[in-house]
Amino acid sequence: MPDAVNVGFVPMATSARGVLFVFCDDTLKFGPDTVKAVGTAANAVKRAAATSQFKGKSGSTLDILAPEGLKASRLVVIGVGKLDAIKDHDFLKLGGALAGKIGGGKEPVTVIAELPSGAMTPAQAAAIAAGVRMRAYKFDRYKTKKKDGDDTPLDASVAIAVRDVAATKKAFAPQNHVVDGVIMARELVNEPPNVLYPVEFARRASQLRKLGVAVEVLDVPAMKRLKMGALLGVSQGSTQPGRTVIMRWNGGKKGQQPVAFVGKGVCFDTGGISIKPSGSMEDMKGDMGGAACVVGLMHALAARKAKVNVVGAIGLVENMPDGNAQRPGDIVTSMSGQTIEIINTDAEGRLVLADVLWYVAKKHKPKFMVDLATLTGAILVALGTEYAGLFSNNDELSQRLTEAGQATGERVWRMPMGPEYDKMMDSQFADMKNAGARHGGSITAAQFLQRFVDDTPWAHLDIAGTAMGAAKTDINQSWGSGYGVRLLDRLVADYYESK
Ligand code: BES
Ligand code: MN
Ligand code: ZN
């Protein structure tokens, strides 16, 4: 894993060298062990708080160098805000905020995992550790000259001092696997498109076999036999052959109906013959963010041995203009038998998903399917980078996704669907067209997808705004965010795992 930070748990300490982190609330109150650890430096904290207007707001920090009377060379106080307003998800952010303050030094770091009200629960202390790792991740594989300042990777040992080491380790183990999944998804999104093309993506997904995931890779002849004409039409303009990858984790009861996750994996989207303008086209290396999320999620679920049967499926292609590329006006036949008139070769993600959704629905008959796709620029217009668009034929699944979004901070916002929008995708020459008018572009894209799910309960997450290029946060400093891994891990954990 490309984060050099090393997080561990130690028994509650009241004396530490290096950098010492402690927590206070909005009244600047400390817990009992924190009071002991801060000792005579309490006075310096009071004075520094007054001069710097530090009020203990959630995530704010107060930095004291060479604190009098302590072995530590730095004492950093982190605010948690109002005690009764703290939510589970805040601990992840606190861990991130903390990691952001460590700096490039090699000094050991100690964190006193205590609130003014007493020791953090094992789950809370574990979330701090997870937040540290999420924040520490940096994509710098292709920088040959490591610089100081912002470019220094976090290379520290962070000891989190807790009341119950064994219980905290136990709480952290599954969370740690989820963080690995998030980082894996970020890596895939950040990788350049000359390195990560469909065959290489499939190879990386195949590494999940080490965790006991069954991985099946469909090559072009296999997809031709399945008559995946919509996906293959997109792929045909590239010299890089496409792939579909099916990953299965069977941690549930034998024969139990699986849940399914489907990802758009356009390793690079030039737009094809309907070519995109060159400004920011490089961002289209991230057009496989949905597939990256599915791989990261499968990693998380398998590594933490989730008690559920899961199918993960990704359609991997490159959308290129070429002598053999598909044209606007072409009519392709999807695996479902439905025909599609190509209006715009840049509306390629839905063509890829059409065949993979149909394949998963028919072959695996899942309890539900959730697809993730960087599908439309229009979802950025509607929701910006804070919420993913949620489109669904099922209220229960939508409700559960919304709740998992609130709990993890990976939020979704449900958008409308309906027959009026569906009609906008009818074609004069084929069963449907692949692009509607400009208005309601994210909705008509979802209507198109719905034509390939039959009556399977289904939700589509348009993650064009959330998977990449969002503002940097306490828990993510990288371009690729890994959005969706924690959301869907939570969905599975809260509703679909057998006890
Ligand atoms: N991959 C793009 C959507 C996208 C845009 C993702 C910006 C991330 C940032 C998708 O394939 C696309 O090109 N969609 C078109 C659809 C249109 C041609 C109907 C779009 O959004 O303009
Ligand atoms: Mn496109
Ligand atoms: Zn695309």
Side-chain angles (χ1 to χ4, degrees), residues 264 269 276 284 287 344 346-350 374-378 380 435 464 468:
K264 168 179 173 182
D269 180 12
K276 288 179 182 294
M284 286 301 114
D287 208 17
N344 189 321
D346 198 9
E348 84 297 340
R350 60 197 75 181
T374 48
L375 203 63
T376 66
L380 272 141
M468 56 193 172

mmCIF file of all heavy atoms in Angstrom, residues 264 269 276 284 287 344 346-350 374-378 380 435 464 468, ligand 1:
data_model
loop_
_atom_site.group_PDB
_atom_site.id
_atom_site.type_symbol
_atom_site.label_atom_id
_atom_site.label_comp_id
_atom_site.label_asym_id
_atom_site.label_seq_id
_atom_site.Cartn_x
_atom_site.Cartn_y
_atom_site.Cartn_z
ATOM 1 N N LYS A 264 -18.704 1.131 -14.155
ATOM 2 C CA LYS A 264 -18.252 1.637 -15.460
ATOM 3 C C LYS A 264 -16.739 1.734 -15.418
ATOM 4 O O LYS A 264 -16.171 2.421 -14.574
ATOM 5 C CB LYS A 264 -18.860 3.016 -15.739
ATOM 6 C CG LYS A 264 -18.228 3.755 -16.935
ATOM 7 C CD LYS A 264 -18.867 5.121 -17.210
ATOM 8 C CE LYS A 264 -18.106 5.900 -18.286
ATOM 9 N NZ LYS A 264 -18.677 7.244 -18.548
ATOM 10 N N ASP A 269 -11.631 8.085 -21.836
ATOM 11 C CA ASP A 269 -12.786 8.501 -22.637
ATOM 12 C C ASP A 269 -12.428 9.750 -23.444
ATOM 13 O O ASP A 269 -12.470 10.865 -22.929
ATOM 14 C CB ASP A 269 -13.973 8.788 -21.702
ATOM 15 C CG ASP A 269 -15.223 9.218 -22.472
ATOM 16 O OD1 ASP A 269 -15.243 9.074 -23.715
ATOM 17 O OD2 ASP A 269 -16.180 9.690 -21.819
ATOM 18 N N LYS A 276 -14.202 14.854 -27.563
ATOM 19 C CA LYS A 276 -14.299 15.893 -26.542
ATOM 20 C C LYS A 276 -13.341 17.035 -26.861
ATOM 21 O O LYS A 276 -12.317 16.814 -27.507
ATOM 22 C CB LYS A 276 -13.903 15.313 -25.172
ATOM 23 C CG LYS A 276 -14.906 14.371 -24.544
ATOM 24 C CD LYS A 276 -14.392 13.854 -23.207
ATOM 25 C CE LYS A 276 -15.355 12.870 -22.566
ATOM 26 N NZ LYS A 276 -16.641 13.465 -22.174
ATOM 27 N N MET A 284 -10.212 12.416 -18.065
ATOM 28 C CA MET A 284 -10.978 11.234 -18.471
ATOM 29 C C MET A 284 -10.221 9.920 -18.248
ATOM 30 O O MET A 284 -10.716 8.850 -18.553
ATOM 31 C CB MET A 284 -11.461 11.371 -19.919
ATOM 32 C CG MET A 284 -12.606 12.361 -20.038
ATOM 33 S SD MET A 284 -14.033 11.886 -19.013
ATOM 34 C CE MET A 284 -14.065 13.196 -17.820
ATOM 35 N N ASP A 287 -12.334 7.942 -15.786
ATOM 36 C CA ASP A 287 -13.673 7.521 -16.190
ATOM 37 C C ASP A 287 -13.932 6.039 -15.859
ATOM 38 O O ASP A 287 -14.938 5.477 -16.266
ATOM 39 C CB ASP A 287 -13.865 7.798 -17.692
ATOM 40 C CG ASP A 287 -15.325 8.054 -18.055
ATOM 41 O OD1 ASP A 287 -16.122 8.332 -17.142
ATOM 42 O OD2 ASP A 287 -15.664 7.948 -19.253
ATOM 43 N N ASN A 344 -24.461 9.802 -30.104
ATOM 44 C CA ASN A 344 -23.254 10.492 -29.655
ATOM 45 C C ASN A 344 -22.305 9.438 -29.091
ATOM 46 O O ASN A 344 -22.646 8.753 -28.122
ATOM 47 C CB ASN A 344 -23.651 11.514 -28.579
ATOM 48 C CG ASN A 344 -22.505 12.429 -28.198
ATOM 49 O OD1 ASN A 344 -21.361 11.991 -28.109
ATOM 50 N ND2 ASN A 344 -22.806 13.695 -27.978
ATOM 51 N N ASP A 346 -19.839 9.810 -27.408
ATOM 52 C CA ASP A 346 -19.347 10.191 -26.079
ATOM 53 C C ASP A 346 -20.301 9.731 -24.968
ATOM 54 O O ASP A 346 -19.975 9.823 -23.792
ATOM 55 C CB ASP A 346 -19.160 11.714 -26.021
ATOM 56 C CG ASP A 346 -18.263 12.151 -24.874
ATOM 57 O OD1 ASP A 346 -17.650 11.278 -24.228
ATOM 58 O OD2 ASP A 346 -18.181 13.377 -24.625
ATOM 59 N N ALA A 347 -21.474 9.257 -25.340
ATOM 60 C CA ALA A 347 -22.375 8.681 -24.322
ATOM 61 C C ALA A 347 -22.101 7.182 -24.294
ATOM 62 O O ALA A 347 -22.959 6.355 -24.609
ATOM 63 C CB ALA A 347 -23.820 8.997 -24.660
ATOM 64 N N GLU A 348 -20.855 6.828 -23.932
ATOM 65 C CA GLU A 348 -20.380 5.448 -24.062
ATOM 66 C C GLU A 348 -20.557 4.628 -22.790
ATOM 67 O O GLU A 348 -20.700 3.410 -22.857
ATOM 68 C CB GLU A 348 -18.901 5.447 -24.476
ATOM 69 C CG GLU A 348 -17.887 5.597 -23.333
ATOM 70 C CD GLU A 348 -17.976 6.913 -22.567
ATOM 71 O OE1 GLU A 348 -18.539 7.873 -23.110
ATOM 72 O OE2 GLU A 348 -17.495 6.967 -21.415
ATOM 73 N N GLY A 349 -20.549 5.308 -21.635
ATOM 74 C CA GLY A 349 -20.600 4.566 -20.376
ATOM 75 C C GLY A 349 -21.864 3.732 -20.261
ATOM 76 O O GLY A 349 -21.843 2.577 -19.840
ATOM 77 N N ARG A 350 -22.977 4.313 -20.689
ATOM 78 C CA ARG A 350 -24.258 3.607 -20.593
ATOM 79 C C ARG A 350 -24.279 2.389 -21.513
ATOM 80 O O ARG A 350 -24.983 1.409 -21.236
ATOM 81 C CB ARG A 350 -25.395 4.592 -20.921
ATOM 82 C CG ARG A 350 -25.316 5.179 -22.294
ATOM 83 C CD ARG A 350 -26.171 6.429 -22.452
ATOM 84 N NE ARG A 350 -25.596 7.608 -21.799
ATOM 85 C CZ ARG A 350 -26.162 8.816 -21.781
ATOM 86 N NH1 ARG A 350 -27.335 9.012 -22.363
ATOM 87 N NH2 ARG A 350 -25.569 9.824 -21.189
ATOM 88 N N THR A 374 -19.084 7.152 -13.562
ATOM 89 C CA THR A 374 -18.821 8.572 -13.847
ATOM 90 C C THR A 374 -19.552 8.848 -15.160
ATOM 91 O O THR A 374 -18.941 8.935 -16.213
ATOM 92 C CB THR A 374 -17.305 8.798 -14.003
ATOM 93 O OG1 THR A 374 -16.793 7.790 -14.899
ATOM 94 C CG2 THR A 374 -16.582 8.670 -12.671
ATOM 95 N N LEU A 375 -20.883 8.960 -15.057
ATOM 96 C CA LEU A 375 -21.696 8.830 -16.266
ATOM 97 C C LEU A 375 -21.959 10.125 -17.005
ATOM 98 O O LEU A 375 -21.956 10.152 -18.229
ATOM 99 C CB LEU A 375 -23.028 8.135 -15.925
ATOM 100 C CG LEU A 375 -23.711 7.441 -17.098
ATOM 101 C CD1 LEU A 375 -22.847 6.313 -17.648
ATOM 102 C CD2 LEU A 375 -25.077 6.894 -16.715
ATOM 103 N N THR A 376 -22.241 11.206 -16.273
ATOM 104 C CA THR A 376 -22.625 12.446 -16.965
ATOM 105 C C THR A 376 -22.007 13.696 -16.346
ATOM 106 O O THR A 376 -21.903 13.820 -15.117
ATOM 107 C CB THR A 376 -24.167 12.643 -16.943
ATOM 108 O OG1 THR A 376 -24.605 12.854 -15.603
ATOM 109 C CG2 THR A 376 -24.891 11.466 -17.553
ATOM 110 N N GLY A 377 -21.624 14.634 -17.209
ATOM 111 C CA GLY A 377 -21.205 15.947 -16.735
ATOM 112 C C GLY A 377 -22.380 16.667 -16.079
ATOM 113 O O GLY A 377 -22.198 17.496 -15.188
ATOM 114 N N ALA A 378 -23.594 16.318 -16.493
ATOM 115 C CA ALA A 378 -24.787 16.997 -15.968
ATOM 116 C C ALA A 378 -24.968 16.775 -14.466
ATOM 117 O O ALA A 378 -25.561 17.618 -13.786
ATOM 118 C CB ALA A 378 -26.031 16.507 -16.729
ATOM 119 N N LEU A 380 -22.670 16.909 -12.317
ATOM 120 C CA LEU A 380 -21.850 17.954 -11.685
ATOM 121 C C LEU A 380 -22.600 19.281 -11.659
ATOM 122 O O LEU A 380 -22.483 20.062 -10.722
ATOM 123 C CB LEU A 380 -20.540 18.119 -12.456
ATOM 124 C CG LEU A 380 -19.404 17.204 -12.000
ATOM 125 C CD1 LEU A 380 -18.601 16.704 -13.181
ATOM 126 C CD2 LEU A 380 -18.511 17.927 -11.016
ATOM 127 N N ALA A 435 -28.333 8.834 -26.571
ATOM 128 C CA ALA A 435 -28.241 10.168 -25.970
ATOM 129 C C ALA A 435 -29.533 10.924 -26.238
ATOM 130 O O ALA A 435 -30.066 10.889 -27.354
ATOM 131 C CB ALA A 435 -27.051 10.932 -26.539
ATOM 132 N N ALA A 464 -19.792 11.033 -11.259
ATOM 133 C CA ALA A 464 -18.896 11.900 -12.036
ATOM 134 C C ALA A 464 -18.362 13.061 -11.198
ATOM 135 O O ALA A 464 -17.261 13.553 -11.423
ATOM 136 C CB ALA A 464 -19.610 12.422 -13.284
ATOM 137 N N MET A 468 -13.661 11.849 -8.517
ATOM 138 C CA MET A 468 -12.359 12.448 -8.830
ATOM 139 C C MET A 468 -12.467 13.964 -8.842
ATOM 140 O O MET A 468 -13.529 14.531 -9.067
ATOM 141 C CB MET A 468 -11.896 11.978 -10.206
ATOM 142 C CG MET A 468 -12.924 12.299 -11.283
ATOM 143 S SD MET A 468 -12.535 11.428 -12.794
ATOM 144 C CE MET A 468 -13.964 11.764 -13.783
HETATM 145 N N1 BES B 1 -17.353 10.262 -18.847
HETATM 146 C C1 BES B 1 -18.274 11.241 -19.307
HETATM 147 C C2 BES B 1 -18.957 11.991 -18.158
HETATM 148 C C3 BES B 1 -18.072 12.864 -17.296
HETATM 149 C C4 BES B 1 -17.943 14.202 -17.554
HETATM 150 C C5 BES B 1 -17.439 12.334 -16.197
HETATM 151 C C6 BES B 1 -17.168 14.995 -16.746
HETATM 152 C C7 BES B 1 -16.651 13.135 -15.383
HETATM 153 C C8 BES B 1 -16.524 14.466 -15.653
HETATM 154 C C9 BES B 1 -19.354 10.565 -20.135
HETATM 155 O O1 BES B 1 -18.945 9.470 -20.865
HETATM 156 C C10 BES B 1 -19.840 11.576 -21.116
HETATM 157 O O2 BES B 1 -19.083 11.970 -21.942
HETATM 158 N N2 BES B 1 -21.103 11.943 -20.996
HETATM 159 C C11 BES B 1 -21.692 12.918 -21.859
HETATM 160 C C12 BES B 1 -23.051 12.407 -22.266
HETATM 161 C C13 BES B 1 -23.672 13.160 -23.406
HETATM 162 C C14 BES B 1 -22.858 12.967 -24.665
HETATM 163 C C15 BES B 1 -25.071 12.687 -23.608
HETATM 164 C C16 BES B 1 -21.787 14.233 -21.099
HETATM 165 O O3 BES B 1 -21.976 14.222 -19.874
HETATM 166 O O4 BES B 1 -21.630 15.272 -21.729
#
